[in-house]
C-alpha cells in the first residue's frame, strides 16, 4: 500500500513537471549510518548505529525503479555524498532531532533500546574523557539523482 | 498513508539515537551547537546536479526550510510544501528577508496539493529526503 502511494506520488510529480523539467531526489543509501565522535578533526569513535529501519527507504527505491522501468522518468545523473549532523552530546543531538522532526511512532524493541542506550553511554564517556571540543556526529551516505520526465 | 514525508532523514536519526516518538515543541534558540552538514556536501552535490537559474521549483516535504534557503536565491520562484504545520511555521518564521516574495510555504499534503495543481506547472521538483 505504501509503495503504491509512492508510485502514485511520483506519477503526480511527472504530471506537474513541464516536459523539459527535472526531478531531484535525495534519499539515503541503504547502508548503516555511523555514530562518530570527533575532536579537532580526529576520530575518537565510529560504530554503525544499532537500529535502522530500512523498509521505507527500500520501498522508495522500489517505487523509483518502477517509474523508471515504466519510462515515466529517466535517470540522467546521480551521485553519492557524506551527510553529517553534529552535536556537542548524544543527548543534544537526539533532542534536536526529536524536536525538529518528531515523526515516527513505531515502537522499538526493548532490547534495541537498551543496546542503543549502552552505545550512547560509551560515546558520551569517550567525549567526556576527551574534554572540550569533542562532538558527536550521525554520519550517513546520501544519494542524489536528477530524473527527466518522459511523456508518451 | 502519507507517501511523502517531512524530513525523513531526521526521523531515521531520531530512531537510531533512541529518541522519543512523541513530538515536543521546539524552543527557539535551543540548538546552537547542532550543525547540519557543515561540510556542505549536500549543497555541492545539489548544485553539481541542478541548474536553478530561472526555474520555478516545487519542493515536496520541505520541513523547516533547511535546504530551501540554500538554493532558493538562484531560482525564479519556489513553492515549498510540507504536511506538518510546525515545520511550515518554523520555515515561515525563518524566511530570510532577501527571499521574501521568491519563496512561498504551504502547509499541505502533497496529494492535496497535486489534486488542485495544473499539469506542467513546474520546471523542477525536489524530494529532499522525503520520499518514504
Amino acid at each position: 500500500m505504501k509503495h503504491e502511494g509512492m508510485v502514485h506520488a511520483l506519477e503526480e510529480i511527472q504530471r506537474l513537471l513541464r516536459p523539459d523539467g527535472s526531478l531531484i531526489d535525495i534519499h539515503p543509501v541503504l547502508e548503516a549510518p555511523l555514530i562518530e565522535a570527533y575532536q579537532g578533526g580526529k576520530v575518537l569513535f565510529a560504530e554503525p548505529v544499532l537500529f535502522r529501519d530500512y523498509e521505507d527507504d527500500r520501498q522508495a527505491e522500489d517505487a523509483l525503479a518502477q517509474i523508471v522501468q515504466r519510462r515515466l522518468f529517466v535517470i540522467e545523473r546521480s551521485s553519492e555524498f557524506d551527510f553529517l549532523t553534529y552535536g556537542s552530546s548524544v543527548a543534544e543531538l537526539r533532542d534536536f532531532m526529536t524536536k525538529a522532526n518528531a515523526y515516527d511512532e513505531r515502537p522499538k524493541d526493548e532490547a534495541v533500546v537498551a543496546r542503543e542506550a549502552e552505545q550512547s553511554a560509551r560515546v558520551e564517556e569517550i567525549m567526556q574523557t576527551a574534554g572540550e571540543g569533542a562532538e558527536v556526529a550521525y554520519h550517513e551516505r546520501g544519494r542524489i539523482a536528477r530524473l527527466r520526465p518522459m511523456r508518451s | 498513508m502519507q507517501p511523502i514525508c517531512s524530513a525523513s532523514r531526521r526521523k531515521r536519526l531520531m530512531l537510531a539515537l533512541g529518541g522519543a516518538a512523541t513530538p515536543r515543541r521546539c524552543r527557539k534558540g535551543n540548538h546552537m551547537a547542532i550543525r547540519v552538514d557543515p561540510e556542505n556536501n549536500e549543497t555541492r552535490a545539489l548544485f553539481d546536479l541542478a541548474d536553478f537559474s530561472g526555474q520555478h521549483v516545487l519542493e515536496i516535504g520541505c520541513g523547516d526550510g533547511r535546504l530551501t534557503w540554500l538554493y532558493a536565491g538562484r531560482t525564479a520562484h519556489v513553492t515549498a510544501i510540507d504536511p506538518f504545520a510546525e515545520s511550515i511555521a518554523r520555515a515561515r518564521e525563518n524566511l530570510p528577508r532577501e527571499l521574501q516574495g521568491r519563496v512561498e510555504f504551504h502547509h499541505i499534503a502533497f496529494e492535496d496539493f497535486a489534486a488542485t495543481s495544473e499539469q506542467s506547472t513546474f520546471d523542477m521538483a525536489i524530494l529532499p529526503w522525503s520520499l518514504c
Side-chain angles (χ1 to χ4, degrees):
Chain A
M1 180 64 188
K2 186 153 194 176
H3 173 267
E4 289 169 11
M6 293 181 196
V7 170
H8 179 64
L10 291 164
E11 290 168 346
E12 285 292 90
I13 291 170
Q14 193 249 18
R15 186 182 67 80
L16 297 180
L17 283 171
R18 297 194 172 109
D20 60 346
S22 57
L23 166 63
I24 304 295
D25 172 63
I26 306 174
H27 69 263
V29 172
L30 298 181
E31 61 185 35
L34 300 171
I35 294 292
E36 298 174 337
Y38 292 90
Q39 188 182 42
K42 184 183 167 191
V43 179
L44 305 173
F45 178 94
E47 236 177 53
V49 299
L50 297 170
F51 177 80
R52 166 73 150 76
D53 186 350
Y54 295 97
E55 187 51 34
D56 288 350
D57 300 323
R58 209 166 271 132
Q59 289 194 30
E61 288 225 336
D62 287 349
L64 284 164
Q66 186 173 324
I67 57 112
V68 168
Q69 189 176 28
R70 288 170 51 197
R71 297 197 61 77
L72 290 174
F73 284 95
V74 60
I75 297 175
E76 291 186 319
R77 276 185 64 195
S78 68
S79 64
E80 293 185 7
F81 59 93
D82 291 299
F83 192 87
L84 287 89
T85 303
Y86 296 87
S88 59
S89 70
V90 173
E92 180 189 51
L93 190 55
R94 183 177 58 220
D95 195 42
F96 168 73
M97 306 315 289
T98 304
K99 288 172 180 168
N101 284 293
Y103 170 75
D104 200 291
E105 295 182 355
R106 285 173 287 195
K108 289 169 74 174
D109 184 85
E110 279 184 23
V112 171
V113 172
R115 287 170 60 205
E116 284 176 342
E118 184 272 329
Q119 186 184 52
S120 296
R122 279 190 290 130
V123 177
E124 289 285 11
E125 188 179 343
I126 286 167
M127 291 176 64
Q128 282 178 13
T129 303
E132 198 172 331
E135 282 189 300
V136 60
Y138 183 85
H139 181 175
E140 62 187 323
R141 292 280 294 169
R143 179 174 293 137
I144 183 168
R146 186 179 73 218
L147 300 94
R148 183 163 46 86
M150 305 288 281
R151 296 269 160 79
S152 54
Chain B
M1 196 169 287
Q2 176 63 258
I4 303 288
C5 306
S6 171
S8 58
R9 178 187 59 75
R10 290 188 174 163
K11 173 200 71 181
R12 279 187 291 276
L13 177 52
M14 185 180 73
L15 287 169
L17 294 176
T22 306
R24 287 181 286 167
R25 190 168 294 277
C26 180
R27 284 171 291 175
K28 194 175 177 182
N30 196 36
H31 306 300
M32 294 304 288
I34 293 290
R35 297 184 300 139
V36 179
D37 189 31
E39 299 87 358
N40 293 317
N41 292 330
E42 181 190 43
T43 313
R44 271 198 298 275
L46 181 64
F47 290 159
D48 183 50
L49 214 66
D51 179 4
F52 290 95
S53 305
Q55 301 278 288
H56 288 261
V57 177
L58 170 64
E59 185 178 341
I60 305 161
C62 63
D64 61 6
R66 179 191 64 82
L67 191 67
T68 318
W69 315 140
L70 300 177
Y71 70 83
R74 300 182 177 207
T75 69
H77 188 264
V78 178
T79 303
I81 66 171
D82 197 283
F84 291 91
E86 282 196 29
S87 298
I88 288 294
R90 279 200 301 276
R92 285 178 177 149
E93 186 181 328
N94 297 327
L95 178 65
R97 184 185 299 268
E98 64 271 20
L99 292 177
Q100 287 177 6
R102 186 174 298 189
V103 180
E104 57 181 274
F105 290 100
H106 297 283
H107 168 217
I108 189 169
F110 174 67
E111 54 263 48
D112 296 330
F113 178 84
T116 56
S117 298
E118 301 212 349
Q119 182 175 327
S120 303
T121 303
F122 297 97
D123 300 303
M124 187 184 293
I126 302 179
L127 289 168
W129 310 84
S130 58
L131 185 65
C132 63

